[in-house]
Amino acid sequence: PASTLDELVALCKRRGFIFQSAEIYGGLQGVYDYGPLGVELKNNLKQAWWRRNVYERDDMEGLDASVLTHRLVLHYSGHEATFADPMVDNRITKKRYRLDHLLKEQPEEVLRRLFRAMEVEEGNLHALVQAMMTFPERAGGAMTAAMVVDPATGEPGDWTPPRYFNMMFKTYVGPVEDEAGLAYLRPETAQGIFINFKNVLDTTSRKLPFGIAQIGKAFRNEITPRNFIFRVREFEQMEIEYFVRPGEDERWHRYWVEERLKWWQEMGLSRENLVAYQQSPEELAHYAKATVDLLYRFPHGLEELEGIANRTDFDLGSHTKDQEELGITARVLRNEHATQRLAYRDPETGRWFVPYVIEPSAGVDRGVLALLAEAFTREELPSGEERIVLKLKPQLAPIKVAVIPLVKNRPEITEYAKRLKARLQALGLGRVLYEDTGNIGKAYRRHDEVGTPFAVTVDYDTLGQGKDGTSKLKDTVTVRDRDTMEQIRLHVDELEGFLKEKLRW
Ligand code: ATP
């Protein structure tokens, strides 16, 4: 695996996986573009998720809701009031930080002074942040007195009282920029699922339990985007809202934690780099009954890859009409605008109730970063040289097969290779690349680095013009394996079956 983020960033840039957005103008902070290889890897990951969660199950429907979000959706979901991170400024450097991130980076003695000043039990960082947000004036003074260090300079700062910063991006729909046209870019894909609950239920006649799955962009104006594509302002989520009967929620929550843990391992992440972390009661979001975070050992630390929450009847209960008739257990805002009942009528008793929801919510970009980190391998070759290999699961690799002509200046060979490329491409296994840049050794090296599992070489033997003067190797090619570097010779007719077998899901 990669030992630092920097070596991944360098590889991603060098080979065309991921670029800083608008780099030619100095870069837009916290926003990245996926290049020719990155887009393939990301699409492969998303397709694998969709295949497993929508196609291979009999209790799931897909959805693709809009990014532009009606203001009332994010009002009643609670985002307008509470989707905010604590923020603090250094008056000297004018640098701004997310409070919890800043505290995590402080030397122990600084933290000890803060715990004492805020009268919080030492070691409980979560409680410290809460106390600081409850008494912001005192907290600002305490931070300055405790000599909280500004990571940008390494010097103690003069800190403002911390305050909340709402992370939602606002925009205006229509030609007039006024309050009436205010809308948001969605900060999570989930709300699009909840507000379509009745549409999906009515059009598919689903019975509980069933789920709705969605992949799409989400936007958060993070105070301090960092760690490459780990924390960004524009990202993608793969989310499931799985609707169950109250009382069956705990069992389904456990089920989804296991299911998701298994899936990430199938994608190539190793078990020892994954941790299922059960949030403590004080860490839980106000609407959650239980949350398990799947953490991954990223090069920059053990951090969240996916969250799996038991959200009870909070979401549908927040957006439904007839709230008082439905026996909602969660604490929801009184909804004065909803026009539909987001509830379920028990087919046996005829009684209406609001389903509970289990939400496995994964970040696509964090998934890509984890896959890259896990796959990144430095190997010493017998010759003493070093090679970098991206040991991605072959099905996820951006390029499945590179077809390489042994020489570039023999039309018979290059034409053969191009025809073979087209034939392999038609198998539908993913991207097949015709590759005639540089020599064979360089091509192998490049494809090792981007994780191409198979390199197929067309040579004189393929044309039936072998050195031994016979044509017994006609229509055979060499197939080189990325991981073992071993080469075998296969007839092109066998090659199809070989690749299908190796690359099928
Ligand atoms: P964090 O605590 O790291 O900010 P979160 O708990 O706010 O994350 P959720 O709201 O649970 O995240 O979002 C679900 C998933 O979406 C996360 O597990 C993560 O994979 C992804 N995600 C959230 N915020 C970002 C971001 N700024 N950049 C990239 N991915 C993100």
Side-chain angles (χ1 to χ4, degrees), residues 344-387:
Y344 183 82
R345 191 160 176 267
D346 190 315
E348 264 138 51
T349 65
R351 193 180 62 88
W352 283 90
F353 65 93
V354 176
Y356 272 31
V357 54
I358 308 300
E359 177 192 78
S361 170
V364 177
D365 311 79
R366 288 188 189 180
V368 167
L369 187 62
L371 292 177
L372 287 171
E374 182 92 33
F376 187 94
T377 313
R378 273 179 204 284
E379 272 181 6
E380 199 182 319
L381 300 175
S383 65
E385 273 180 289
E386 188 192 75
R387 75 162 183 158

mmCIF file of all heavy atoms in Angstrom, residues 344-387:
data_model
loop_
_atom_site.group_PDB
_atom_site.id
_atom_site.type_symbol
_atom_site.label_atom_id
_atom_site.label_comp_id
_atom_site.label_asym_id
_atom_site.label_seq_id
_atom_site.Cartn_x
_atom_site.Cartn_y
_atom_site.Cartn_z
ATOM 1 N N TYR A 344 -46.535 4.153 4.942
ATOM 2 C CA TYR A 344 -46.781 2.831 4.368
ATOM 3 C C TYR A 344 -48.027 2.256 5.023
ATOM 4 O O TYR A 344 -48.191 2.338 6.242
ATOM 5 C CB TYR A 344 -45.571 1.951 4.674
ATOM 6 C CG TYR A 344 -45.612 0.562 4.099
ATOM 7 C CD1 TYR A 344 -45.239 0.322 2.778
ATOM 8 C CD2 TYR A 344 -45.993 -0.528 4.888
ATOM 9 C CE1 TYR A 344 -45.248 -0.959 2.254
ATOM 10 C CE2 TYR A 344 -46.005 -1.804 4.373
ATOM 11 C CZ TYR A 344 -45.636 -2.013 3.054
ATOM 12 O OH TYR A 344 -45.647 -3.288 2.543
ATOM 13 N N ARG A 345 -48.884 1.682 4.191
ATOM 14 C CA ARG A 345 -50.111 1.100 4.735
ATOM 15 C C ARG A 345 -49.911 -0.396 4.860
ATOM 16 O O ARG A 345 -49.676 -1.087 3.872
ATOM 17 C CB ARG A 345 -51.267 1.414 3.794
ATOM 18 C CG ARG A 345 -52.595 1.107 4.377
ATOM 19 C CD ARG A 345 -53.690 1.872 3.628
ATOM 20 N NE ARG A 345 -54.979 1.477 4.145
ATOM 21 C CZ ARG A 345 -55.706 0.496 3.623
ATOM 22 N NH1 ARG A 345 -55.291 -0.148 2.546
ATOM 23 N NH2 ARG A 345 -56.874 0.178 4.172
ATOM 24 N N ASP A 346 -49.954 -0.863 6.077
ATOM 25 C CA ASP A 346 -49.753 -2.286 6.317
ATOM 26 C C ASP A 346 -50.816 -3.080 5.556
ATOM 27 O O ASP A 346 -52.008 -2.883 5.774
ATOM 28 C CB ASP A 346 -49.863 -2.564 7.829
ATOM 29 C CG ASP A 346 -49.414 -3.971 8.158
ATOM 30 O OD1 ASP A 346 -49.818 -4.905 7.429
ATOM 31 O OD2 ASP A 346 -48.653 -4.129 9.128
ATOM 32 N N PRO A 347 -50.392 -3.966 4.624
ATOM 33 C CA PRO A 347 -51.385 -4.662 3.805
ATOM 34 C C PRO A 347 -52.314 -5.560 4.642
ATOM 35 O O PRO A 347 -53.435 -5.818 4.239
ATOM 36 C CB PRO A 347 -50.546 -5.509 2.847
ATOM 37 C CG PRO A 347 -49.125 -5.248 3.136
ATOM 38 C CD PRO A 347 -49.015 -4.342 4.324
ATOM 39 N N GLU A 348 -51.831 -6.007 5.809
ATOM 40 C CA GLU A 348 -52.673 -6.895 6.613
ATOM 41 C C GLU A 348 -53.635 -6.132 7.527
ATOM 42 O O GLU A 348 -54.821 -6.423 7.542
ATOM 43 C CB GLU A 348 -51.815 -7.847 7.445
ATOM 44 C CG GLU A 348 -51.652 -9.196 6.744
ATOM 45 C CD GLU A 348 -50.253 -9.743 6.834
ATOM 46 O OE1 GLU A 348 -49.725 -9.802 7.961
ATOM 47 O OE2 GLU A 348 -49.696 -10.103 5.781
ATOM 48 N N THR A 349 -53.105 -5.156 8.250
ATOM 49 C CA THR A 349 -53.955 -4.472 9.235
ATOM 50 C C THR A 349 -54.612 -3.215 8.678
ATOM 51 O O THR A 349 -55.548 -2.697 9.278
ATOM 52 C CB THR A 349 -53.119 -4.049 10.457
ATOM 53 O OG1 THR A 349 -52.168 -3.075 10.019
ATOM 54 C CG2 THR A 349 -52.382 -5.227 11.081
ATOM 55 N N GLY A 350 -54.094 -2.709 7.539
ATOM 56 C CA GLY A 350 -54.629 -1.473 6.986
ATOM 57 C C GLY A 350 -54.140 -0.231 7.715
ATOM 58 O O GLY A 350 -54.505 0.887 7.378
ATOM 59 N N ARG A 351 -53.299 -0.438 8.712
ATOM 60 C CA ARG A 351 -52.812 0.675 9.521
ATOM 61 C C ARG A 351 -51.659 1.398 8.811
ATOM 62 O O ARG A 351 -50.807 0.752 8.202
ATOM 63 C CB ARG A 351 -52.309 0.108 10.862
ATOM 64 C CG ARG A 351 -52.050 1.132 11.944
ATOM 65 C CD ARG A 351 -51.547 0.425 13.211
ATOM 66 N NE ARG A 351 -50.277 -0.275 12.996
ATOM 67 C CZ ARG A 351 -49.080 0.297 13.149
ATOM 68 N NH1 ARG A 351 -48.978 1.541 13.531
ATOM 69 N NH2 ARG A 351 -47.966 -0.401 12.922
ATOM 70 N N TRP A 352 -51.667 2.735 8.885
ATOM 71 C CA TRP A 352 -50.571 3.512 8.295
ATOM 72 C C TRP A 352 -49.449 3.703 9.306
ATOM 73 O O TRP A 352 -49.709 3.958 10.473
ATOM 74 C CB TRP A 352 -51.066 4.910 7.902
ATOM 75 C CG TRP A 352 -51.876 4.929 6.648
ATOM 76 C CD1 TRP A 352 -53.227 4.775 6.554
ATOM 77 C CD2 TRP A 352 -51.392 5.110 5.323
ATOM 78 N NE1 TRP A 352 -53.631 4.854 5.253
ATOM 79 C CE2 TRP A 352 -52.515 5.059 4.467
ATOM 80 C CE3 TRP A 352 -50.120 5.307 4.755
ATOM 81 C CZ2 TRP A 352 -52.412 5.202 3.088
ATOM 82 C CZ3 TRP A 352 -50.014 5.458 3.387
ATOM 83 C CH2 TRP A 352 -51.151 5.404 2.568
ATOM 84 N N PHE A 353 -48.210 3.609 8.843
ATOM 85 C CA PHE A 353 -47.077 3.959 9.711
ATOM 86 C C PHE A 353 -45.908 4.450 8.867
ATOM 87 O O PHE A 353 -45.879 4.252 7.647
ATOM 88 C CB PHE A 353 -46.647 2.782 10.601
ATOM 89 C CG PHE A 353 -46.110 1.601 9.836
ATOM 90 C CD1 PHE A 353 -44.735 1.465 9.605
ATOM 91 C CD2 PHE A 353 -46.957 0.617 9.344
ATOM 92 C CE1 PHE A 353 -44.236 0.381 8.904
ATOM 93 C CE2 PHE A 353 -46.468 -0.476 8.638
ATOM 94 C CZ PHE A 353 -45.106 -0.596 8.425
ATOM 95 N N VAL A 354 -44.978 5.114 9.530
ATOM 96 C CA VAL A 354 -43.800 5.639 8.834
ATOM 97 C C VAL A 354 -42.666 4.621 8.978
ATOM 98 O O VAL A 354 -42.251 4.316 10.100
ATOM 99 C CB VAL A 354 -43.368 6.995 9.424
ATOM 100 C CG1 VAL A 354 -42.087 7.495 8.763
ATOM 101 C CG2 VAL A 354 -44.486 8.014 9.237
ATOM 102 N N PRO A 355 -42.161 4.083 7.864
ATOM 103 C CA PRO A 355 -41.070 3.107 7.956
ATOM 104 C C PRO A 355 -39.812 3.708 8.581
ATOM 105 O O PRO A 355 -39.582 4.909 8.490
ATOM 106 C CB PRO A 355 -40.797 2.729 6.496
ATOM 107 C CG PRO A 355 -42.036 3.087 5.756
ATOM 108 C CD PRO A 355 -42.609 4.268 6.472
ATOM 109 N N TYR A 356 -39.035 2.858 9.200
ATOM 110 C CA TYR A 356 -37.693 3.242 9.650
ATOM 111 C C TYR A 356 -36.743 3.105 8.455
ATOM 112 O O TYR A 356 -37.027 2.375 7.516
ATOM 113 C CB TYR A 356 -37.218 2.320 10.775
ATOM 114 C CG TYR A 356 -37.638 2.775 12.163
ATOM 115 C CD1 TYR A 356 -38.814 3.473 12.368
ATOM 116 C CD2 TYR A 356 -36.821 2.499 13.258
ATOM 117 C CE1 TYR A 356 -39.178 3.881 13.646
ATOM 118 C CE2 TYR A 356 -37.181 2.902 14.535
ATOM 119 C CZ TYR A 356 -38.362 3.592 14.723
ATOM 120 O OH TYR A 356 -38.718 3.994 15.977
ATOM 121 N N VAL A 357 -35.629 3.793 8.551
ATOM 122 C CA VAL A 357 -34.695 3.708 7.430
ATOM 123 C C VAL A 357 -33.272 3.438 7.907
ATOM 124 O O VAL A 357 -32.796 4.003 8.896
ATOM 125 C CB VAL A 357 -34.796 4.975 6.544
ATOM 126 C CG1 VAL A 357 -34.611 6.226 7.341
ATOM 127 C CG2 VAL A 357 -33.781 4.936 5.428
ATOM 128 N N ILE A 358 -32.652 2.491 7.206
ATOM 129 C CA ILE A 358 -31.235 2.192 7.421
ATOM 130 C C ILE A 358 -30.488 2.779 6.232
ATOM 131 O O ILE A 358 -30.850 2.509 5.083
ATOM 132 C CB ILE A 358 -30.969 0.667 7.482
ATOM 133 C CG1 ILE A 358 -31.894 -0.011 8.490
ATOM 134 C CG2 ILE A 358 -29.492 0.394 7.778
ATOM 135 C CD1 ILE A 358 -31.757 0.480 9.915
ATOM 136 N N GLU A 359 -29.461 3.582 6.508
ATOM 137 C CA GLU A 359 -28.773 4.287 5.432
ATOM 138 C C GLU A 359 -27.292 3.951 5.354
ATOM 139 O O GLU A 359 -26.505 4.460 6.143
ATOM 140 C CB GLU A 359 -28.910 5.805 5.626
ATOM 141 C CG GLU A 359 -28.147 6.591 4.568
ATOM 142 C CD GLU A 359 -28.029 8.057 4.911
ATOM 143 O OE1 GLU A 359 -27.184 8.414 5.759
ATOM 144 O OE2 GLU A 359 -28.783 8.849 4.340
ATOM 145 N N PRO A 360 -26.894 3.101 4.405
ATOM 146 C CA PRO A 360 -25.464 2.964 4.118
ATOM 147 C C PRO A 360 -25.066 4.048 3.118
ATOM 148 O O PRO A 360 -25.575 4.083 2.008
ATOM 149 C CB PRO A 360 -25.341 1.571 3.469
ATOM 150 C CG PRO A 360 -26.700 0.921 3.649
ATOM 151 C CD PRO A 360 -27.682 2.051 3.745
ATOM 152 N N SER A 361 -24.185 4.955 3.548
ATOM 153 C CA SER A 361 -23.810 6.104 2.734
ATOM 154 C C SER A 361 -22.295 6.126 2.535
ATOM 155 O O SER A 361 -21.536 6.359 3.470
ATOM 156 C CB SER A 361 -24.271 7.381 3.436
ATOM 157 O OG SER A 361 -23.718 8.503 2.799
ATOM 158 N N ALA A 362 -21.886 5.880 1.283
ATOM 159 C CA ALA A 362 -20.445 5.766 1.008
ATOM 160 C C ALA A 362 -19.992 6.888 0.092
ATOM 161 O O ALA A 362 -20.747 7.366 -0.754
ATOM 162 C CB ALA A 362 -20.145 4.427 0.357
ATOM 163 N N GLY A 363 -18.761 7.318 0.247
ATOM 164 C CA GLY A 363 -18.188 8.319 -0.628
ATOM 165 C C GLY A 363 -17.452 7.654 -1.786
ATOM 166 O O GLY A 363 -16.609 6.786 -1.572
ATOM 167 N N VAL A 364 -17.819 8.067 -3.007
ATOM 168 C CA VAL A 364 -17.165 7.490 -4.187
ATOM 169 C C VAL A 364 -15.689 7.894 -4.215
ATOM 170 O O VAL A 364 -14.794 7.062 -4.423
ATOM 171 C CB VAL A 364 -17.849 7.961 -5.488
ATOM 172 C CG1 VAL A 364 -17.114 7.427 -6.705
ATOM 173 C CG2 VAL A 364 -19.311 7.524 -5.509
ATOM 174 N N ASP A 365 -15.444 9.182 -3.976
ATOM 175 C CA ASP A 365 -14.066 9.674 -4.057
ATOM 176 C C ASP A 365 -13.192 9.044 -2.974
ATOM 177 O O ASP A 365 -12.044 8.681 -3.216
ATOM 178 C CB ASP A 365 -14.062 11.198 -3.937
ATOM 179 C CG ASP A 365 -15.090 11.808 -4.881
ATOM 180 O OD1 ASP A 365 -16.289 11.798 -4.543
ATOM 181 O OD2 ASP A 365 -14.702 12.245 -5.969
ATOM 182 N N ARG A 366 -13.762 8.918 -1.778
ATOM 183 C CA ARG A 366 -13.002 8.249 -0.718
ATOM 184 C C ARG A 366 -12.765 6.788 -1.076
ATOM 185 O O ARG A 366 -11.726 6.223 -0.742
ATOM 186 C CB ARG A 366 -13.736 8.372 0.614
ATOM 187 C CG ARG A 366 -13.662 9.786 1.146
ATOM 188 C CD ARG A 366 -14.217 9.910 2.547
ATOM 189 N NE ARG A 366 -14.301 11.334 2.899
ATOM 190 C CZ ARG A 366 -14.750 11.788 4.059
ATOM 191 N NH1 ARG A 366 -15.158 10.938 4.985
ATOM 192 N NH2 ARG A 366 -14.787 13.082 4.294
ATOM 193 N N GLY A 367 -13.729 6.186 -1.777
ATOM 194 C CA GLY A 367 -13.555 4.815 -2.245
ATOM 195 C C GLY A 367 -12.403 4.713 -3.242
ATOM 196 O O GLY A 367 -11.547 3.828 -3.147
ATOM 197 N N VAL A 368 -12.382 5.654 -4.184
ATOM 198 C CA VAL A 368 -11.302 5.664 -5.181
ATOM 199 C C VAL A 368 -9.949 5.831 -4.476
ATOM 200 O O VAL A 368 -8.979 5.127 -4.784
ATOM 201 C CB VAL A 368 -11.522 6.800 -6.209
ATOM 202 C CG1 VAL A 368 -10.277 7.027 -7.052
ATOM 203 C CG2 VAL A 368 -12.719 6.486 -7.101
ATOM 204 N N LEU A 369 -9.914 6.735 -3.507
ATOM 205 C CA LEU A 369 -8.654 6.977 -2.785
ATOM 206 C C LEU A 369 -8.208 5.719 -2.027
ATOM 207 O O LEU A 369 -7.024 5.365 -2.040
ATOM 208 C CB LEU A 369 -8.830 8.146 -1.813
ATOM 209 C CG LEU A 369 -7.552 8.616 -1.106
ATOM 210 C CD1 LEU A 369 -6.525 9.117 -2.118
ATOM 211 C CD2 LEU A 369 -7.863 9.721 -0.088
ATOM 212 N N ALA A 370 -9.153 5.043 -1.409
ATOM 213 C CA ALA A 370 -8.824 3.819 -0.674
ATOM 214 C C ALA A 370 -8.319 2.732 -1.624
ATOM 215 O O ALA A 370 -7.322 2.054 -1.349
ATOM 216 C CB ALA A 370 -10.044 3.326 0.102
ATOM 217 N N LEU A 371 -8.987 2.592 -2.764
ATOM 218 C CA LEU A 371 -8.553 1.576 -3.741
ATOM 219 C C LEU A 371 -7.140 1.864 -4.230
ATOM 220 O O LEU A 371 -6.308 0.958 -4.344
ATOM 221 C CB LEU A 371 -9.493 1.554 -4.953
ATOM 222 C CG LEU A 371 -10.920 1.070 -4.738
ATOM 223 C CD1 LEU A 371 -11.706 1.201 -6.034
ATOM 224 C CD2 LEU A 371 -10.945 -0.376 -4.253
ATOM 225 N N LEU A 372 -6.878 3.141 -4.522
ATOM 226 C CA LEU A 372 -5.544 3.512 -5.005
ATOM 227 C C LEU A 372 -4.490 3.251 -3.930
ATOM 228 O O LEU A 372 -3.421 2.707 -4.209
ATOM 229 C CB LEU A 372 -5.517 4.993 -5.408
ATOM 230 C CG LEU A 372 -6.232 5.372 -6.707
ATOM 231 C CD1 LEU A 372 -6.310 6.887 -6.859
ATOM 232 C CD2 LEU A 372 -5.532 4.759 -7.921
ATOM 233 N N ALA A 373 -4.820 3.653 -2.695
ATOM 234 C CA ALA A 373 -3.852 3.484 -1.609
ATOM 235 C C ALA A 373 -3.547 2.007 -1.382
ATOM 236 O O ALA A 373 -2.396 1.601 -1.222
ATOM 237 C CB ALA A 373 -4.396 4.116 -0.328
ATOM 238 N N GLU A 374 -4.605 1.202 -1.387
ATOM 239 C CA GLU A 374 -4.431 -0.235 -1.131
ATOM 240 C C GLU A 374 -3.636 -0.905 -2.261
ATOM 241 O O GLU A 374 -2.812 -1.786 -2.026
ATOM 242 C CB GLU A 374 -5.813 -0.885 -1.006
ATOM 243 C CG GLU A 374 -5.799 -2.360 -0.703
ATOM 244 C CD GLU A 374 -5.856 -2.666 0.798
ATOM 245 O OE1 GLU A 374 -6.488 -1.907 1.543
ATOM 246 O OE2 GLU A 374 -5.245 -3.673 1.192
ATOM 247 N N ALA A 375 -3.890 -0.456 -3.491
ATOM 248 C CA ALA A 375 -3.299 -1.131 -4.655
ATOM 249 C C ALA A 375 -1.848 -0.724 -4.914
ATOM 250 O O ALA A 375 -1.085 -1.456 -5.554
ATOM 251 C CB ALA A 375 -4.144 -0.821 -5.896
ATOM 252 N N PHE A 376 -1.495 0.446 -4.420
ATOM 253 C CA PHE A 376 -0.167 0.995 -4.719
ATOM 254 C C PHE A 376 0.930 0.094 -4.135
ATOM 255 O O PHE A 376 0.965 -0.164 -2.945
ATOM 256 C CB PHE A 376 -0.058 2.397 -4.122
ATOM 257 C CG PHE A 376 1.195 3.127 -4.492
ATOM 258 C CD1 PHE A 376 1.214 3.979 -5.573
ATOM 259 C CD2 PHE A 376 2.364 2.960 -3.747
ATOM 260 C CE1 PHE A 376 2.375 4.673 -5.925
ATOM 261 C CE2 PHE A 376 3.525 3.642 -4.088
ATOM 262 C CZ PHE A 376 3.531 4.501 -5.177
ATOM 263 N N THR A 377 1.814 -0.378 -4.996
ATOM 264 C CA THR A 377 2.849 -1.320 -4.559
ATOM 265 C C THR A 377 4.183 -0.954 -5.183
ATOM 266 O O THR A 377 4.258 -0.715 -6.389
ATOM 267 C CB THR A 377 2.490 -2.761 -5.010
ATOM 268 O OG1 THR A 377 1.131 -3.018 -4.683
ATOM 269 C CG2 THR A 377 3.384 -3.789 -4.338
ATOM 270 N N ARG A 378 5.213 -0.893 -4.350
ATOM 271 C CA ARG A 378 6.586 -0.741 -4.858
ATOM 272 C C ARG A 378 7.258 -2.090 -4.764
ATOM 273 O O ARG A 378 7.257 -2.716 -3.710
ATOM 274 C CB ARG A 378 7.375 0.202 -3.962
ATOM 275 C CG ARG A 378 7.250 1.635 -4.309
ATOM 276 C CD ARG A 378 8.062 2.458 -3.325
ATOM 277 N NE ARG A 378 7.543 3.817 -3.270
ATOM 278 C CZ ARG A 378 7.770 4.736 -4.218
ATOM 279 N NH1 ARG A 378 8.540 4.448 -5.260
ATOM 280 N NH2 ARG A 378 7.252 5.923 -4.123
ATOM 281 N N GLU A 379 7.842 -2.522 -5.856
ATOM 282 C CA GLU A 379 8.481 -3.842 -5.864
ATOM 283 C C GLU A 379 9.902 -3.732 -6.366
ATOM 284 O O GLU A 379 10.174 -2.991 -7.314
ATOM 285 C CB GLU A 379 7.725 -4.773 -6.821
ATOM 286 C CG GLU A 379 6.584 -5.490 -6.173
ATOM 287 C CD GLU A 379 5.872 -6.414 -7.149
ATOM 288 O OE1 GLU A 379 6.351 -6.570 -8.302
ATOM 289 O OE2 GLU A 379 4.842 -6.959 -6.765
ATOM 290 N N GLU A 380 10.764 -4.498 -5.735
ATOM 291 C CA GLU A 380 12.123 -4.554 -6.265
ATOM 292 C C GLU A 380 12.217 -5.751 -7.202
ATOM 293 O O GLU A 380 11.812 -6.862 -6.861
ATOM 294 C CB GLU A 380 13.139 -4.676 -5.130
ATOM 295 C CG GLU A 380 14.514 -4.282 -5.621
ATOM 296 C CD GLU A 380 15.587 -4.441 -4.546
ATOM 297 O OE1 GLU A 380 15.309 -4.086 -3.383
ATOM 298 O OE2 GLU A 380 16.687 -4.920 -4.904
ATOM 299 N N LEU A 381 12.707 -5.493 -8.400
ATOM 300 C CA LEU A 381 12.821 -6.568 -9.389
ATOM 301 C C LEU A 381 14.155 -7.279 -9.196
ATOM 302 O O LEU A 381 15.080 -6.722 -8.605
ATOM 303 C CB LEU A 381 12.738 -5.980 -10.799
ATOM 304 C CG LEU A 381 11.433 -5.243 -11.115
ATOM 305 C CD1 LEU A 381 11.503 -4.602 -12.492
ATOM 306 C CD2 LEU A 381 10.256 -6.206 -11.029
ATOM 307 N N PRO A 382 14.269 -8.530 -9.702
ATOM 308 C CA PRO A 382 15.532 -9.261 -9.573
ATOM 309 C C PRO A 382 16.723 -8.461 -10.116
ATOM 310 O O PRO A 382 17.833 -8.537 -9.607
ATOM 311 C CB PRO A 382 15.300 -10.520 -10.417
ATOM 312 C CG PRO A 382 13.819 -10.686 -10.470
ATOM 313 C CD PRO A 382 13.233 -9.312 -10.378
ATOM 314 N N SER A 383 16.455 -7.618 -11.104
ATOM 315 C CA SER A 383 17.533 -6.806 -11.680
ATOM 316 C C SER A 383 17.988 -5.693 -10.733
ATOM 317 O O SER A 383 18.950 -4.997 -11.025
ATOM 318 C CB SER A 383 17.028 -6.165 -12.969
ATOM 319 O OG SER A 383 15.978 -5.260 -12.662
ATOM 320 N N GLY A 384 17.284 -5.536 -9.596
ATOM 321 C CA GLY A 384 17.624 -4.460 -8.680
ATOM 322 C C GLY A 384 16.810 -3.206 -8.938
ATOM 323 O O GLY A 384 16.759 -2.314 -8.109
ATOM 324 N N GLU A 385 16.174 -3.161 -10.101
ATOM 325 C CA GLU A 385 15.324 -1.999 -10.406
ATOM 326 C C GLU A 385 14.054 -2.030 -9.578
ATOM 327 O O GLU A 385 13.662 -3.082 -9.067
ATOM 328 C CB GLU A 385 14.909 -2.049 -11.881
ATOM 329 C CG GLU A 385 15.881 -1.411 -12.833
ATOM 330 C CD GLU A 385 15.333 -1.542 -14.253
ATOM 331 O OE1 GLU A 385 15.318 -2.683 -14.777
ATOM 332 O OE2 GLU A 385 14.897 -0.527 -14.800
ATOM 333 N N GLU A 386 13.420 -0.875 -9.481
ATOM 334 C CA GLU A 386 12.155 -0.818 -8.756
ATOM 335 C C GLU A 386 11.022 -0.641 -9.752
ATOM 336 O O GLU A 386 11.198 0.021 -10.772
ATOM 337 C CB GLU A 386 12.194 0.381 -7.810
ATOM 338 C CG GLU A 386 11.029 0.425 -6.874
ATOM 339 C CD GLU A 386 10.926 1.757 -6.144
ATOM 340 O OE1 GLU A 386 10.515 2.751 -6.766
ATOM 341 O OE2 GLU A 386 11.251 1.781 -4.951
ATOM 342 N N ARG A 387 9.901 -1.275 -9.476
ATOM 343 C CA ARG A 387 8.729 -0.945 -10.301
ATOM 344 C C ARG A 387 7.565 -0.591 -9.386
ATOM 345 O O ARG A 387 7.451 -1.092 -8.265
ATOM 346 C CB ARG A 387 8.360 -2.089 -11.258
ATOM 347 C CG ARG A 387 7.688 -3.268 -10.612
ATOM 348 C CD ARG A 387 6.951 -4.141 -11.658
ATOM 349 N NE ARG A 387 6.243 -5.237 -10.961
ATOM 350 C CZ ARG A 387 5.215 -5.893 -11.446
ATOM 351 N NH1 ARG A 387 4.745 -5.623 -12.654
ATOM 352 N NH2 ARG A 387 4.609 -6.859 -10.747
#
